[in-house]
Each structure stands twice: as C-alpha cells, then as structure tokens.
Amino acid sequence: MNKKRMIVGLLILLMISLGVFAQGQVDKSTVEVKVLAGVTGGKDEAENKLFEEEMEKATGLNITWEKVPSGYDQVLMQKLGAGEQYDLIYLNQFQMYTLAKQGALTDLTDRIQNSKVYAENVDKAELEKIGLNGKYYAGFNKLEVFPLVNVNKAITDKVGINLDSLDTLDEYYQMLKEVKTYMETKEGKKPYYPFFTYMPDIWDLQPWFSSVGLRRGVFVDASGKKYAPYVSTKAKPVWEWLAKLYKEGLMDPASFTGKTGDMRSKMWQSQDIVMDVDWAAWTGLYNNNARTAGTYPAKVNVVGLPGTKGPDGTYMLEQGGASLWAIPSNAKNPDEAFEILEYMATKEGGLLLSAGIEGHDYTMKNGKIEYTEVGKSHAKDHGAPFPISTQFDLSLLGEMNPGVLESVAIGQRSDVEVAPMGYANGELDTRKYYDIMSKWMTDCIMGKISADAAINGAEKELRANKLID
Amino acid sequence: MDKQLVRQIKKHRIFYLLFIPIALYFIIFTYYPFFRGLIMSFQENRLIGTRPFAGLENYKLVLSDPSFLSSILNSLIIGFSDMVLYFSLALLFALVLNEITQKKIKQGIQTIAYIPYLLSWAVIGGVWALIFDLDGLVNRFLALFGTEPIFFLATPAYARPLIIAMGVWRSMGYFALLFTVAIMNIDRQLFEASRIDGASRMMQIRKIIVPSLLPTMKTIIVLLSIGVLTHFDEIYVMVNPANRSLINTLLLYVYENGILNFRTGSASAGATLVMIGTVLFTALIRRLTEYDKEE
C-alpha cells in the first residue's frame, strides 16, 4: 500500500515538474510575431504568404508578415498612433531618428553588440552610419548603394564622346551640348533636353557638388554649430552650372515637375535623355528593361560614372538613407523580433530578400540558381537587391543585369568616397530641408534669381526654420 | 424631465431608436477621433506610449513656423477664389443651361460639365499636366501663333490661377447641377402668369428665377465656406519646387510637417487650428447670409 502511494506520489511530482518546466519553456512557434513591412516581402498577396511561410520555416517562429502595398509611411504612422502593436517595423533612417528620440523604439545596442550573427555578417562601418548618440535602434534591411551618374553610352558613342575623360563640370557640360546638337540635327529630336535631374528632393545632385567637395544635408561642426554645405559660397559654381544647363536647354524642364518614373522612361524607353543620376542598381535595370524591349545595346547601353572629381581628387557620392527594421518600444515579442532581424542579416536571409522563394522564384540546379518566369519578373528584388551580409556573394544570384556590377564597383574604388547625407546627428527635419533647398535651387536654375541671391535666400530660410545655426 | 417631452419621446420612440446607430456612427468615427486629436494637440509628439502634457507648446511651434503662416495666406487666396468662382460660374452656367430648349443638347452639356466631378484628383492632375506642360495642348496651340512655350506648371505667376482653375473645372458642373434642380422646381405657373403680364425672359430670370434660388444659394455658399481652408488633393497632385511656396495650403502643411514626420502633437495642433478657422468662417457666412433665418 505504501509502495503504491509512493509511486503515485512520485508520478504526481513528476507531472507537476513537467508542467512547471513546460511553462518556463514557451514554444516559440506558438507566439505570433507581427511584422509591418514596406517594400520587403512577396510582390503580391499570394507571394507574400509564401514569403511569410519561408521566413517561418527559417526561424521556427509563427510570423504574420503584413506588407503594406502603398502609402507605407502614412500607414505606419496611423497604425502606431492608433495603438496597434507590432514586434518589428520597417522604416527609413530619418523615421528611425524621429521615433528613437520619441522613445518609441527599443534600444538594440546590447543585442546588436552581443549578436554573433551581426558580428559575422554586418560591416561595422555600416553600423556606424545608423548610430544615434552611440546607440543602435534598428537593424538592416539591405546594403544601401548609392546614386551615380548614368549615361546612355549607345548615344554618346554615336556622337564620338569618350566617357572616361569626363571629370569636371565643364567636361559634362560639353558632353551634354554635343549630344544635344547631334540629337537635334542628326536624329531630328527637337527640342532635345539631354539631362534630367529630379529636383523635389535634390537627392541626385551629389555627383555635381562633389566638384567643390560638398555634401548634401546639415552637419554639426566641432563647436556644435549646424551648417549646410550646399548654401556655402563654395557651392556657387554648381548652382551656376545647373542654371547654365537649364538656360541652354541641356536640362529637361520636366526635372521640376516630373517624377522619377518619367525620368526612367525617358532614359530607356524613349531615349529622350542621355544622362541622369540614379541608383547603381538602375544601371542594370535600364539595360535589362531595354534588353526585354530589344533595344539593348544598340539604342540603350547605360553605364555608371562617378561624377565630378573634387578638389582633393576624390569623387563624392551619397549613400542612400538606410532602410531599416526596428522593434517598437511596446512590442510584445522583442526577442523573437530580433531573431527575424538577425535572420535577414544572414546569407540565407539575404537570398530570400533578394532572389525570393525557392521553388517559386527560383530552383537550385547543381548549386546554381535558375529563375522561374515569376522570379525573372521579380528582378532579384524582394526588398533587398543587395543583401547586407558580408558573407553574401552577389554571384550567388546568377547573371546580374548588364552594367550593375560595374556601377556597384565604382563605390569600392579608393578614389570614391560614399557617405550618407548630413542628418545633423539625427536632428534634421529632412522634409523641410528638401523643400527649402529645392525651392531656392529651382528659382536659381530657372534663372529667376542669381546664384548669390538664391544661396543667401536658402541660408536665411534654413536659419529662420532653425535647421542651421 | 418635462412630462410632455417624455410622452413625445415615448410616442416617437421608433424614430429615436432608429437614430441610435447614426449617433453611434458619428460618436465613434467623428467625435471620438476629433476629441482624441484635440487632446493630442496639447501633448508631446509621441507615437507610442504615454504622451506627457505639453501645454500650448505645439500651438506655439506651429504658429511661429513661417511655412504655416504662408500656408494660411495661400489657403485663404485659393479658398476664397474657389468659393467665389464656383458659386458665380455655376449659377451663370445653370441659368444659361436653363435657356436651352433642346432637351438632348441640354442634358448632353450638363453631363459633360458634371463628368470632371467624378474623376479623382490624381487623374485630373495628369490631365492638366498634359494640357499645360511645356509640350502640352495649350503650348501647341500657342505655337500656331508663333508664341514661345510657357512653362505653366513651374511659373509662379500661373501657380495659383492653375490650381483655382482646376477646382472650377472639376466642381462647376456639380454646383450647376444643384442650381439646375432648384430652377426645375420653380412653380411653372409663375412663368405663365408673368408671360401673360408681358414680362420679358430677362425679367423672368431677374424677378422669378434668381429670387427663387436664394435658399439654394445660401446652402451652396455655406457648403463652399466649409471647404475654404481644407484644400488638399489638388495641391498634393500639382505641387513642385517652383510653385510650392505659392500653393502650399494648411492641410498640406499638416500632412507633410505633421503626419509624414510623425509629429502627432504638431499635426493635431495644426488640424485643430484649421477646424477652428473653418467653424468661425462658416458661422460668419451663416450670419451674413441669414442662413438660419426662417423663410
């Protein structure tokens, strides 16, 4: 009887112990990790589901991958403002600064510094670029590349221009002038405006301001004073050069009213321009689109150029504002969210965010990637055309679009300096800065006021809005 | 409570019950967000978590912002011009349309004038860009007379007139339709009697039609006054660096500086000021037009 009681007692004890143990070890596949994504994920609802499943398979988590099809910034603001809780949110660098300062993001400094995955896959120099007062509030979505000068060599070859010799503002001016004359007289395209620059955010002017060694944005000097290089007197030659291009019909007037989509279609579809400044990835996309349309390389053969050489002999290009992932301060599952963040930084995660879903976008044959028709149409981009992992070899993606690797390689040259714009230590109201700068630059370029007056006006307005000291 | 009132409520209880869903709809979707926004305008800019009380800081910030002040001026110029033009041109159009005796032609013109109202602002923005672009229809027409092309979309002198004209083009047909319906409801016997008395057509318009339209005119003026400070969509689709300073309106300011920058407090303060301005202006218009006076 006693023996029986003892066995029953032991069994009960064992069951209780197992119960307590099970409670301590929460099955992570039962926790719902909510992700709010912008560009990263499937291209449509059905593919997004597959993307979510792929992510779940890789991390062992139960993930809800909510991809916003359009108007992401507004949706993010509405959802967070309404109290909706997410474990991981997609955001840009400026938004990260704003939300971190509001205390809306989880401090990830310790997690990132202790992460083996980040140590093995993420370049420290990249991490430095997204720090805020020595702390990290986000991890990476992809490796940011940079906009550079894109020129349609198919046209410049016909004109007889050697692109390797272009280094100064004047040399670019001469090239544009020769192309304009050729297109208007020989090809009968009149008027022909060979250069398009998207003015609203003045984001593609860096290769020209490189000639005077200046960068976009607002910086803080050693004494703590905020200053904007583009409104210094040193910048005047670039403002005047742009005004000269417009006056002589070398700059497309649609630069002020058109969208980047207009610029891109003019580059590869109609060849109505010969030069713009666009992302390195677009060098390849222009050519790939033209290849599909049957115009590559006879009519369209875009190549990337570093722009103008600065006073110290280097070319200054601007790294795109980082696209990031952050964990909101009210996230229910920050640990699981960080696991996803880590996975995206791995080689495998990079493959998912670029090539897409195995069996849907591609198949592997003898260690080589073979794209399906769906995969081909998705152009190796599911949020990260260039994965952040240093372990990721771009050759993994198979044949790249023509010209893209050469453009990306420009950023790795020793005489090319790629750096982000000045965010004034995360304090800059970028929207206001763009609006003020583009307004004054437009007035100057369109010849309404002189470069001196425009620079002074812009400086005063930046100061009145407390963007600079 | 007054016994008679209770009796009245009991008597018409079915109508009061039917009113409950409507009241709930407004409470949930209009008044709750409004009061929440009002509270947020007195709180610090924080998207997540508790928002500490910031007093009048957001209002001070917004009212000291030069962009906000210039957006007030832009809103007033564009809003007033739209209000005057929508009203006068729609009235004129309705009166002229009423004189067309051929029913099919009349209906055809009315439909053509009304169609733009059905289009989204994004589509209208695209259409206007095609018309007024450097190589657009207007410049091609002007070229026939040897005129140099005009960059309408990026020339400050044309910025506000273009926005105002866009609004008129889109909405005139709609307001004209309201006037037309009111004209159709005028007692036909009045026209008969005046004709027998020897009144000319112009006299009929002045003495019968226009006075009969007064209630409709009041309603349309009040409706238009509500929209004076709330222009957004047409601005959003047409704004560019060359015209921004002249057409940046209050709601675009609130959207770009508040919502896109995650400044909930500042955005709410800006939106509250727009609402106060609208309420005051509408109240003034109601008073001036004697809108609430019993006929």
Side-chain angles (χ1 to χ4, degrees):
Chain A
M1 188 70 183
N2 277 349
K3 208 175 176 184
K4 238 181 183 178
R5 272 186 185 170
M6 214 163 81
I7 291 168
V8 171
L10 275 171
L11 275 172
I12 291 169
L13 200 68
L14 186 70
M15 280 166 77
I16 291 170
S17 313
L18 279 171
V20 170
F21 180 74
Q23 273 185 338
Q25 297 282 307
V26 179
D27 180 2
K28 69 179 189 174
S29 67
T30 61
V31 176
E32 188 200 6
V33 188
K34 282 180 75 183
V35 181
L36 188 67
V39 294
T40 304
K43 296 283 182 190
D44 52 40
E45 215 173 307
E47 198 195 33
N48 198 51
K49 192 76 203 145
L50 294 174
F51 186 92
E52 183 184 277
E53 285 167 12
E54 201 68 13
M55 194 64 94
E56 284 179 336
K57 223 188 293 169
T59 57
L61 296 163
N62 173 20
I63 300 167
T64 301
W65 195 274
E66 191 178 327
K67 191 182 172 200
V68 179
S70 65
Y72 179 76
D73 294 350
Q74 205 170 329
V75 173
L76 174 67
M77 192 266 182
Q78 285 166 343
K79 284 187 176 266
L80 294 186
E84 227 174 299
Q85 284 178 291
Y86 285 93
D87 297 305
L88 198 60
I89 53 169
Y90 176 87
L91 71 185
N92 66 35
Q93 197 162 352
F94 169 65
Q95 290 165 340
M96 183 266 289
Y97 287 140
T98 307
L99 291 179
K101 279 184 285 173
Q102 288 182 8
L105 301 180
T106 306
D107 181 354
L108 302 179
T109 316
D110 290 341
R111 288 180 194 267
I112 285 177
Q113 282 172 347
N114 298 329
S115 165
K116 199 169 168 251
V117 173
Y118 257 63
E120 285 170 0
N121 289 278
V122 178
D123 190 339
K124 275 198 173 156
E126 291 301 320
L127 263 176
E128 287 306 307
K129 291 171 189 168
I130 61 161
L132 176 64
N133 301 325
K135 292 191 169 184
Y136 303 121
Y137 291 91
F140 292 98
N141 179 60
K142 63 179 163 78
L143 179 69
E144 295 305 327
V145 281
F146 45 87
L148 81 171
V149 179
N150 276 288
V151 176
N152 187 352
K153 196 168 173 292
I155 295 177
T156 54
D157 278 353
K158 279 196 276 186
V159 186
I161 292 163
N162 175 17
L163 294 179
D164 297 332
S165 67
L166 302 178
D167 266 334
T168 64
L169 291 177
D170 197 49
E171 284 161 1
Y172 274 97
Y173 163 76
Q174 291 300 337
M175 181 272 279
L176 294 171
K177 215 171 164 182
E178 283 175 43
V179 170
K180 181 179 175 72
T181 309
Y182 176 87
M183 295 302 276
E184 289 184 349
T185 55
K186 300 269 168 51
E187 305 264 329
K189 277 194 167 187
K190 198 173 179 181
Y192 188 82
Y193 304 107
F195 171 52
F196 192 117
T197 186
Y198 180 65
M199 282 304 295
D201 288 351
I202 62 161
W203 69 269
D204 52 1
L205 296 175
Q206 188 54 50
W208 318 121
F209 278 97
S210 167
S211 64
V212 286
L214 300 175
R215 281 203 179 279
R216 184 172 75 139
V218 173
F219 294 82
V220 184
D221 68 15
S223 65
K225 195 179 161 195
K226 289 186 282 185
Y227 67 99
Y230 278 15
V231 294
S232 69
T233 46
K234 265 173 77 180
K236 190 177 156 188
V238 185
W239 290 59
E240 285 175 335
W241 178 77
L242 291 164
K244 187 165 79 169
L245 295 189
Y246 183 75
K247 192 181 171 192
E248 297 188 17
L250 302 174
M251 184 194 286
D252 191 335
S255 300
F256 305 102
T257 54
K259 311 278 179 231
T260 45
D262 302 325
M263 174 179 90
R264 286 168 182 158
S265 73
K266 283 184 177 198
M267 186 67 151
W268 74 268
Q269 243 170 347
S270 59
Q271 299 109 51
D272 280 342
I273 57 169
V274 74
M275 181 174 89
D276 66 16
V277 176
D278 208 341
W279 297 101
W282 267 93
T283 311
L285 286 168
Y286 284 135
N287 292 328
N288 192 48
N289 290 345
R291 188 161 57 183
T292 311
T295 50
Y296 174 84
K299 286 186 173 177
V300 178
N301 181 13
V302 177
V303 294
L305 297 175
T308 54
K309 200 181 262 187
D312 63 352
T314 58
Y315 301 88
M316 293 166 85
L317 294 175
E318 183 179 306
Q319 183 166 29
S323 58
L324 304 163
W325 291 99
I327 301 173
S329 54
N330 62 350
K332 285 180 188 165
N333 309 295
D335 295 336
E336 287 77 8
F338 193 73
E339 279 182 45
I340 298 175
L341 219 159
E342 278 186 317
Y343 175 68
M344 287 191 278
T346 62
K347 195 169 122 181
E348 295 75 17
L351 190 61
L352 174 63
L353 267 64
S354 54
I357 303 128
E358 190 171 0
H360 177 71
D361 287 294
Y362 68 89
T363 51
M364 292 301 265
K365 278 190 185 155
N366 305 323
K368 277 195 169 180
I369 203 160
E370 269 187 25
Y371 291 97
T372 60
E373 284 308 311
V374 175
K376 279 179 198 164
S377 72
H378 293 170
K380 303 163 196 164
D381 181 7
H382 290 78
F386 299 101
I388 187 71
S389 171
T390 49
Q391 313 283 318
F392 193 91
D393 182 355
L394 280 176
S395 65
L396 248 176
L397 296 174
E399 191 204 346
M400 299 296 281
N401 291 330
V404 68
L405 289 177
E406 291 82 350
S407 277
V408 172
I410 287 174
Q412 285 144 10
R413 274 167 43 175
S414 59
D415 60 345
V416 175
E417 188 190 289
V418 182
M421 68 175 278
Y423 285 100
N425 292 342
E427 295 292 331
L428 182 66
D429 180 339
T430 47
R431 186 70 265 147
K432 208 164 244 181
Y433 170 79
Y434 297 150
D435 287 349
I436 293 169
M437 291 300 296
S438 61
K439 181 185 81 178
W440 289 99
M441 292 197 93
T442 298
D443 283 354
C444 168
I445 294 168
M446 292 179 91
K448 289 175 205 157
I449 51 174
S450 68
D452 280 324
I455 289 172
N456 283 337
E459 191 181 12
K460 273 185 193 157
E461 197 171 339
L462 288 174
R463 193 165 289 123
N465 280 278
K466 298 183 179 114
L467 297 181
I468 58 170
D469 295 315
Chain B
M1 203 190 280
D2 190 344
K3 277 182 181 172
Q4 204 181 343
L5 181 67
V6 174
R7 255 201 315 274
Q8 283 291 320
I9 292 173
K10 272 186 179 172
K11 189 180 169 191
H12 301 294
R13 60 185 178 279
I14 187 73
F15 297 110
Y16 287 103
L17 282 172
L18 285 173
F19 179 70
I20 289 173
I22 300 159
L24 280 175
Y25 172 84
F26 279 105
I27 289 167
I28 294 167
F29 295 108
T30 306
Y31 291 102
Y32 172 68
F34 165 69
F35 283 111
R36 193 150 172 202
L38 191 67
I39 293 165
M40 275 163 80
S41 72
F42 295 103
Q43 293 175 328
E44 280 184 22
N45 291 310
R46 280 197 191 173
L47 209 52
I48 296 176
T50 49
R51 302 180 179 100
F53 186 64
L56 293 172
E57 210 47 49
N58 291 319
Y59 288 92
K60 280 185 198 163
L61 208 74
V62 167
L63 288 169
S64 63
D65 186 342
S67 312
F68 184 76
L69 301 178
S70 69
S71 69
I72 293 177
L73 180 72
N74 291 336
S75 294
L76 289 174
I77 293 172
I78 294 169
F80 271 124
S81 308
D82 270 352
M83 186 175 163
V84 171
L85 290 171
Y86 284 10
F87 180 82
S88 53
L89 291 177
L91 178 61
L92 190 69
F93 184 69
L95 291 174
V96 171
L97 202 66
N98 188 49
E99 297 309 304
I100 298 172
T101 47
Q102 288 288 329
K103 203 179 168 191
K104 281 192 175 168
I105 295 175
K106 190 175 174 175
Q107 282 175 343
I109 295 173
Q110 204 169 350
T111 309
I112 289 168
Y114 183 73
I115 282 174
Y117 194 73
L118 303 174
L119 303 175
S120 74
W121 279 111
V123 173
I124 293 173
V127 171
W128 277 61
L130 283 176
I131 298 171
F132 289 100
D133 214 349
L134 258 185
D135 58 351
L137 286 177
V138 174
N139 274 318
R140 283 183 193 188
F141 177 72
L142 291 174
L144 298 175
F145 304 97
T147 311
E148 280 290 302
I150 301 166
F151 201 177
F152 291 103
L153 300 176
T155 304
Y158 297 105
R160 284 176 186 149
L162 267 185
I163 288 290
I164 293 163
M166 246 174 100
V168 172
W169 180 76
R170 180 179 186 260
S171 303
M172 193 188 70
Y174 169 72
F175 289 107
L177 186 71
L178 298 182
F179 281 125
T180 307
V181 171
I183 292 171
M184 281 161 64
N185 285 332
I186 298 171
D187 188 352
R188 296 287 115 184
Q189 286 181 1
L190 287 173
F191 294 104
E192 268 311 298
S194 67
R195 202 164 51 84
I196 292 164
D197 288 344
S200 67
R201 188 60 190 157
M202 274 311 287
M203 205 177 276
Q204 284 181 334
I205 291 172
R206 279 196 295 121
K207 300 287 182 184
I208 301 172
I209 298 180
V210 173
S212 304
L213 286 178
L214 269 178
T216 311
M217 287 184 191
K218 284 181 184 179
T219 308
I220 289 178
I221 286 186
V222 170
L223 281 176
L224 289 170
S225 68
I226 294 169
V228 163
L229 297 177
T230 55
H231 286 265
F232 175 76
D233 301 276
E234 69 271 47
I235 312 293
Y236 187 70
V237 296
M238 294 296 279
V239 73
N240 65 56
N243 66 15
R244 175 177 287 279
S245 59
L246 291 164
I247 64 168
N248 183 19
T249 53
L250 284 163
L251 285 194
L252 189 71
Y253 173 90
V254 168
Y255 175 72
E256 289 189 338
N257 293 279
I259 293 171
L260 290 185
N261 281 353
F262 297 154
R263 293 200 185 111
T264 47
S266 313
S268 303
T272 305
L273 290 171
V274 172
M275 195 217 57
I276 292 170
T278 300
V279 168
L280 290 177
F281 183 64
T282 311
L284 179 72
I285 292 291
R286 284 174 83 119
R287 201 182 166 90
L288 289 175
T289 57
E290 297 182 326
Y291 183 78
D292 301 304
K293 199 176 160 188
E294 299 273 334
E295 292 296 326

